[in-house]
Every structure is written in C-alpha cells, then in structure tokens.
Amino acid sequence: MKAIIIGAGIGGLTTAIALQQQGIDYEIFDAAPACKAVGAGIMLGGNAMTVYERLGVGKAIRELAVFPENIFVRNYKGKVLQHISNAYIRDHYGQGAQLLHRATLQQLLVDEVAKEIQWGKKFTTLQQHANGVTAYFEDGSSASGDFLIGADGIRSVVRETYITPAQYRYSGQTCWRAIIPMTLSKEERENAVEVWGNGNGLRASYAQIDGGRVYFWFTSKMPAGKAFTDEEAIAFMQKQLAPFYGNMPKVAAALRPEMLIRADLYDIKPINTWYKDKVVLLGDAAHATTPNLGQGASQAIEDALMLSNCLAQTKSTAAAFKLYQESRIARVQKVVGVSWQLAMITNWKGSLAASFRDFMVRMVPNRVTQQQLEFLYNVKW
Ligand SMILES: Cc1cc2nc3c(=O)[nH]c(=O)nc-3n(C[C@H](O)[C@H](O)[C@H](O)COP(=O)(O)OP(=O)(O)OC[C@H]3O[C@@H](n4cnc5c(N)ncnc54)[C@H](O)[C@@H]3O)c2cc1C
C-alpha cells in the first residue's frame, strides 16, 4: 500500500512518520520551493506530545522545548482569570504542553522522515483509477499511489476540488507574531501567560521558547486585510499594550519590523465529510480552527497517528477512512467550536463588557476549567 501525501507541514510530516512506523509506503510533496525555517513559536499540547512519544520523537522535542509549569490567563491589570497547571496535566496524563520554535519542530520532523521530501511540487489535479490515484503537479510531473492524503492546509485544493467546498469564517481578529531574542526570568519561564485587554479582541502573550528566544503574539479585532506597515503595526501594538501590567510593554518595546508575521485568523465551518473514494483529508485541510486553544497543529498530529493506525488495522482504504473519520470528527469539532467561542468572547466591545466577561471567566473554578480541558488530554490510543 502506498500513500501520496500532499503537504509537508506539521500534519503531512507527522503522517509520513506515522506511516513509516506502520510499514506503509508513501511519497510526500510540498509546493514550497524548499524547507525553510519559517514561522514563529508553537505550543504543542500534551495530547500532541503523547502522539510524538508514540512516534519516537517526543524525547527530542522535550530536550529542546520549554515546559511551562503553569499557563495563566490574566486581565491587563494582572488579575488571574484562569490558571491551567501544565505540571498537573503532565503528572495525570503523561505529557504536558511544550513551547518551541516552529522551525525547530519542522526540522526535527524532517529529520525523522525517511524518504526524500519533494519540495517545489505544487499539486494541481488528481486522476482516480481502478488501481489507485495519480497526482499531477504544476511542473508537469506526476506521482502514483493507492490513495492520496490531502494535508495541504486551510486553503486545501484537495478538499475544495475532490471532497467538498468549505466556508471560511473570519474570527474578526488579526494576529501578529514575533520571535524576540530574549531570556526571561525563571519565574516568567515557568509561568506562561496570555493577557486579555479591554475588549475588541485585544490579547497578547509572551513565553520563552528554545534557543534563548521569546515567542510573542498579539491579537486585535479589525477587518481582515486592514493595511498596516510593519512599523505602523509595532506602534499600534506598543500603544495598545502600554497600560498592560508587568513586562508586556517592555517586551513590546523589543519588537522590530523584520520580526513580524501577520495572519488574519480564519477557521472553516466544520465539514462532515473528510474522505471520498481514494482521497482523505488531514489537519487544517479537514478542520482548520482558530488558534485560541492552541490546538490546530495538535489535532493534525492526532489525525496522523489515527489515520495510520486505521490503515494498519483495516482491510481496505474505504474501511480505514471511515474508521478514521468516525474516531476523530466529534472531538475535533468540539475543539473548533470551543476555540471559536473563545474568539467571540474576546471580541466583546468596550471596557464594561470586558469587565463582565473577565468576571464570568474568573468565577469558573480552576477545577472546572481543568475538567473542561480534560477531554483534550485524556486520550486512549
Ligand atoms: C496565529 C496562529 C497561531 C497558532 N498557534 C498554534 C499553537 O500554538 N499550537 C497549535 O497546535 N496550533 C497552532 N496554530 C494552528 C497550526 O498552525 C495549524 O493547525 C497547523 O499548522 C496545521 O498543519 P497542517 O499541516 O494541517 O497545515 P499547514 O501547516 O498549513 O501545512 C500545509 C502544507 O501544505 C503545503 N501546500 C499547500 N497547498 C499545496 C499544494 N497545492 N500542493 C503541495 N503542497 C501544498 C503548504 O506549503 C504547507 O507546507 C496556530 C495558527 C495560527 C494562525
């Protein structure tokens, strides 16, 4: 059995590793001209780390990444709204969240992929025939296999052309991310924080990642595509963050235009079909989510292990795809839904609404939050 994987992002690379562990043949293609050290930071949830332990890359990630003992949500005056004990999650479920640079993770995964990753291969069309599939690329080349995995991200051509068109939803928020060379105090390294501003989607966070770097992100409610030069964006963020407690203004003062990566935050309205004939979707292509739970990549990573397990356990790709979708869809749609709701409540407008929101969030006991998050970590593979 041979898979054609379209997309060598976190989802596609993890799938390649999971397939090779099951002894399933594959070829993997990506439109990007080369493997480049791109992106900012990423938080891998304990659930993703459990998968990576299974796949034999957990230790390598843990050795490089930063493990925050706690993750706090605070208001801009510093008051704690929610506290998640990452140490508790690790102690109870085996693995906690890890923070690292995306490029570090990507390189680790690339090194684990036994086959040559075929960069500069933009998938365009597909032919399905009795014996399998043939994928065609923009450069005129093609590749054949028994089935095709669309791991080609939120704007998936595979999904749109061969499964079902999706509806993109703009969360109302744009996001700037940056990697800042900086070492935080022990206290701040151990206690990652997300700080909520006075409504209008205003939130910011900074946390230590690998290599003496800090991962900073900022969100604000505004129309998608609103024009900002990088210099204007920095001035805007520094102004918005000036009233924030603690070191946030100091971290914002270290921002430089060349550090900024901007993304308008979209998800896709959940779709109920992840496969058709010999084509199956995985990761953002199947279920792109807003990043409010920090679970998009983590869910793609879970998909990869589940799909490879299903392929190994069943007699046909049809049975494997069915089992894979049935095993994953409810869980993933819950993540997408909760994450979307979080975007909506942080979009509330004005300080009165924000104070009410903060009060409501603060009133939820930590024990309840921990239980609500339990579904993410309490996974039996
Ligand atoms: C601001 C922000 C912060 C986030 N933070 C987190 C976080 O902390 N934790 C977390 O778990 N998730 C996070 N996410 C979500 C996470 O980034 C995604 O869920 C994850 O990258 C999805 O991986 P993927 O492999 O499915 O898709 P992608 O990473 O989008 O990879 C798709 C790949 O397919 C390739 N491709 C696309 N089209 C074609 C084509 N036609 N032919 C060939 N190749 C193609 C692309 O080049 C790309 O390499 C965040 C997202 C955003 C926007």
Side-chain angles (χ1 to χ4, degrees):
M1 195 180 346
K2 179 180 162 191
I4 300 294
I5 306 172
I6 304 298
I10 295 171
L13 292 170
T14 308
T15 303
I17 298 165
L19 290 178
Q20 70 200 25
Q21 201 182 59
Q22 295 287 4
I24 298 171
D25 194 14
Y26 65 88
E27 280 191 275
I28 178 165
F29 303 88
D30 199 287
C35 176
K36 278 219 184 110
V38 287
I42 190 157
M43 188 179 80
L44 289 176
N47 51 322
M49 288 306 300
T50 299
V51 173
Y52 281 140
E53 289 296 323
R54 289 288 176 93
L55 295 179
V57 282
K59 185 162 176 276
I61 295 173
R62 280 187 281 109
E63 279 172 2
L64 287 170
V66 173
F67 176 84
E69 295 279 322
N70 299 291
I71 300 163
F72 288 98
V73 178
R74 294 178 184 267
N75 73 8
Y76 72 102
K77 292 176 182 162
K79 189 174 261 181
V80 175
L81 304 179
Q82 279 298 326
H83 165 221
I84 295 154
S85 169
N86 198 29
Y88 172 91
I89 291 168
R90 177 196 55 202
D91 295 346
H92 280 74
Y93 306 114
Q95 297 293 326
Q98 300 280 349
L99 286 156
L100 73 169
H101 198 295
R102 275 176 189 261
T104 307
L105 176 64
Q106 188 185 19
Q107 194 55 55
L108 270 168
L109 298 177
V110 164
D111 291 346
E112 285 296 316
V113 173
K115 290 214 157 173
E116 192 191 336
I117 299 163
Q118 303 191 44
W119 302 102
K121 295 282 178 186
K122 185 172 184 186
F123 167 82
T124 52
T125 52
L126 170 73
Q127 251 180 16
Q128 302 198 56
H129 36 83
N131 300 329
V133 295
T134 302
Y136 294 90
F137 301 97
E138 204 175 54
D139 63 2
S141 61
S142 64
S144 295
D146 294 294
F147 63 99
L148 181 137
I149 301 172
D152 51 343
I154 184 170
R155 305 272 162 192
S156 168
V157 173
V158 176
R159 180 193 65 234
E160 293 295 303
T161 319
Y162 300 101
I163 309 289
T164 183
Q167 191 183 322
Y168 298 98
R169 302 189 295 192
Y170 179 50
S171 66
Q173 294 178 5
T174 203
C175 176
W176 280 280
R177 287 171 286 174
I179 297 295
I180 306 171
M182 187 181 269
T183 303
L184 300 176
S185 67
K186 184 171 181 292
E187 164 79 11
E188 285 194 308
R189 280 201 305 273
E190 288 178 354
N191 298 291
V193 71
E194 170 176 332
V195 187
W196 290 10
N198 234 347
N200 283 337
L202 179 58
R203 281 176 299 168
S205 169
Y206 62 93
Q208 194 77 53
I209 59 165
D210 56 304
R213 298 174 284 191
V214 161
Y215 170 36
F216 166 89
W217 61 257
F218 171 98
T219 63
S220 179
K221 189 174 178 208
M222 65 179 69
K226 187 169 176 186
F228 273 93
T229 63
D230 288 339
E231 289 76 8
E232 286 167 345
I234 289 177
F236 175 70
M237 287 189 274
Q238 288 173 343
K239 187 169 173 214
Q240 299 292 314
L241 297 177
F244 277 43
Y245 81 98
N247 280 331
M248 188 68 84
K250 206 170 121 193
V251 174
L255 291 169
R256 299 290 173 266
E258 64 277 10
M259 296 173 182
L260 295 194
I261 301 174
R262 176 170 175 192
D264 292 331
L265 300 180
Y266 285 86
D267 74 0
I268 57 171
K269 192 171 170 198
I271 55 171
N272 293 319
T273 313
W274 290 5
Y275 67 94
K276 197 171 172 187
D277 303 327
K278 295 185 168 71
V279 182
V280 64
L281 300 175
L282 182 143
D284 276 11
H287 47 68
T289 176
T290 52
N292 302 298
L293 281 179
Q295 275 288 325
S298 300
Q299 292 302 313
I301 292 160
E302 286 192 5
D303 285 351
L305 182 59
M306 182 62 79
L307 179 60
S308 65
N309 284 352
C310 293
L311 286 162
Q313 278 163 26
T314 51
K315 289 202 167 67
S316 66
T317 52
F321 296 168
K322 184 168 181 287
L323 182 59
Y324 159 69
Q325 179 178 303
E326 281 171 2
S327 310
R328 297 285 304 138
I329 200 161
R331 172 174 173 78
V332 176
Q333 290 187 353
K334 186 166 175 181
V335 169
V336 174
V338 172
S339 194
W340 183 259
Q341 290 307 323
L342 273 168
M344 295 306 109
I345 66 164
T346 55
N347 273 344
W348 285 6
K349 204 173 168 187
S351 47
L352 203 64
S355 301
F356 177 66
R357 172 203 68 193
D358 291 357
F359 174 74
M360 298 293 283
V361 174
R362 201 151 43 86
M363 285 302 104
V364 180
N366 287 329
R367 177 179 43 81
V368 174
T369 309
Q370 206 85 33
Q371 279 165 2
Q372 283 169 344
L373 291 175
E374 194 165 75
F375 86 96
L376 284 174
Y377 308 112
N378 196 8
V379 192
K380 303 272 177 283
W381 285 100

